[in-house]
Amino acid sequence: MWDLGIATLYYLDLSNNFLTNIEYFPPTNMTQLNFDSNLTHKVLDMRMNNFNGKIPRKFVKSCNLTSLNLNGNRLEGPLPPSLVNCHHLEVLNVGNNQINDNFPNWLEILPELQVLILRSNRFWGPIGENTTIVPFPSLRIIDLSHNEFTGVLLTGYLDNFKAMMHGNNISVEVDYMTPLNSSNYYESIILTIKGIDIKMERILTIFMTIDLSSNKFQGGIPEVVGKLNLLKGLNISHNNLTGDIPSSLRNLTEVESLDLSSNMLVGHIPTQLTSLKYLSVLNLSYNQFEGPIPRGSQFNTFPNDSYVGNSGLCGFPLLESCNIDEAPEPVGSTRFDEEEDASSWFDWKFAKMGYGSGLVIGLSVGYMVFGTGKPRWLVRMIEKYQSNKVRIRVSSLGIARRN
């Protein structure tokens, strides 16, 4: 049984052990963990253990957790709705368990929730519509992959993910996500990029991604996805999506990884996508696209694997030639009535950076390199913000090299 006396805890890290007995799960009774009531940043990390059974249902109203990580156990049953009592919760990671529940819409009222990881469980059913005016107001990383979700994509939520939209991210501070008063604990997650599960040991505060892959979503790709123009990665592969690629995706001007593979999408690949000059990973394979592959900009760098399984496609890099010399010229990008805010430009003074040959997705600059090409979003930020003299704090911003 948990017996921690009267110690005041900033965070409790029990990860990567062989612990069992979820019945003694600490947060069920905050008197067992004498958290200082004046402290609002607290972490409970119990990932990668042997916990099984159901997550205890009672999170008391005085719950002050900011991060709860239960990834990689054998937990079952539903998520306890009492989690909404943790009003300061920023990270909820219950990935890689056996949780059987529908989508926890009730989490949308948490004002500070930034990271929601439900991947690789037994969640099921339609997402449903939001019940609050601004659901998930701070959410910037959501991973629902490898579940049994059905219905159309979460249009109501996508239209209200304000933290992922240009003009709503007012902070210019770039750092790793970590609890306050902690100099040696960093938030970490696992994401699927290019079909490979990659553990991110540290999360950059500017990284934003959506992964809805490997579910049973149907219908088309909503036009409102184009409003999320701060996204670095979008993965909606391995579903049952139909229709064409909406031209509004040209507004995802920050995106570096776009995976629409293994669906039933049709039509031409929009030439407007060639305006996404930081797009470094593209996967449109195993759909029903037809016509010429657009040329220009990043599209000149994508390999054959990006397009396989689309018998109607032609042009570079495929062997099948088109009846026309080249695809139409790309159309310039448009925005959702938003303008560039020159006041957000800043000067990088404190970063020591090295550039390798691998692409670095911004979530963890020092911990992941894949594919080819420089970390274009980071290079662009450095170039863009050198004009003014506003200084920011950059912590441990190193880039891994790959020889």
Side-chain angles (χ1 to χ4, degrees), residues 347-366:
D347 187 16
W348 292 74
K349 295 295 186 182
F350 305 141
K352 295 182 179 179
M353 306 177 186
Y355 298 102
S357 59
L359 164 68
V360 181
I361 288 291
L363 175 64
S364 180
V365 180

Side-chain angles (χ1 to χ4, degrees), residues 172-176 204-206 346 348 381 392-395:
V172 296
E173 182 170 318
V174 182
D175 205 343
Y176 292 117
L204 276 177
T205 55
I206 58 174
F346 55 86
W348 292 74
M381 287 177 59
I392 64 167
R393 177 170 59 92
V394 179
S395 173

Side-chain angles (χ1 to χ4, degrees), residues 213-399:
S213 64
S214 300
N215 280 282
K216 297 180 179 180
F217 289 117
Q218 300 174 340
I221 302 174
E223 288 277 349
V224 297
V225 173
K227 297 175 68 173
L228 308 177
N229 49 13
L230 292 179
L231 280 179
K232 306 297 184 195
L234 175 63
N235 187 349
I236 51 178
S237 66
H238 294 86
N239 281 286
N240 299 313
L241 300 178
T242 55
D244 54 12
I245 299 177
S247 59
S248 64
L249 293 193
R250 64 187 174 188
N251 295 299
L252 300 181
T253 53
E254 304 285 340
V255 74
E256 287 202 15
S257 176
L258 179 62
D259 192 343
L260 310 180
S261 64
S262 299
N263 282 288
M264 295 181 285
L265 300 172
V266 299
H268 287 68
I269 301 173
T271 58
Q272 294 94 334
L273 297 186
T274 60
S275 65
L276 302 179
K277 57 183 177 179
Y278 307 114
L279 184 62
S280 299
V281 178
L282 176 68
N283 193 348
L284 303 179
S285 63
Y286 300 103
N287 280 284
Q288 300 172 24
F289 294 121
E290 59 184 7
I293 296 172
R295 295 176 60 183
S297 189
Q298 295 301 102
F299 273 75
N300 292 339
T301 68
F302 299 137
N304 180 81
D305 291 348
S306 295
Y307 309 104
V308 297
N310 294 279
S311 58
L313 285 178
C314 62
F316 180 84
L318 302 179
L319 296 178
E320 181 70 21
S321 60
C322 299
N323 294 327
I324 57 177
D325 293 333
E326 60 182 17
E329 290 297 321
V331 178
S333 175
T334 61
R335 299 180 179 271
F336 283 88
D337 298 324
E338 296 172 346
E339 297 180 354
E340 192 75 17
D341 182 6
S343 64
S344 66
W345 294 13
F346 55 86
D347 187 16
W348 292 74
K349 295 295 186 182
F350 305 141
K352 295 182 179 179
M353 306 177 186
Y355 298 102
S357 59
L359 164 68
V360 181
I361 288 291
L363 175 64
S364 180
V365 180
Y367 286 85
M368 181 191 69
V369 179
F370 69 94
T372 60
K374 294 181 181 180
R376 293 177 177 84
W377 68 268
L378 189 57
V379 172
R380 184 185 67 83
M381 287 177 59
I382 295 171
E383 294 174 345
K384 174 181 177 181
Y385 298 135
Q386 279 181 341
S387 60
N388 286 349
K389 300 299 181 181
V390 181
R391 293 191 174 188
I392 64 167
R393 177 170 59 92
V394 179
S395 173
S396 304
L397 195 58
I399 297 181

Side-chain angles (χ1 to χ4, degrees), residues 127-158:
I127 299 297
E129 293 295 327
N130 52 294
T131 58
T132 58
I133 298 177
V134 183
F136 297 107
S138 300
L139 195 66
R140 55 189 183 83
I141 296 176
I142 179 170
D143 188 348
L144 308 183
S145 63
H146 297 279
N147 282 287
E148 300 291 326
F149 288 117
T150 60
V152 298
L153 293 180
L154 48 166
T155 306
Y157 287 109
L158 292 171

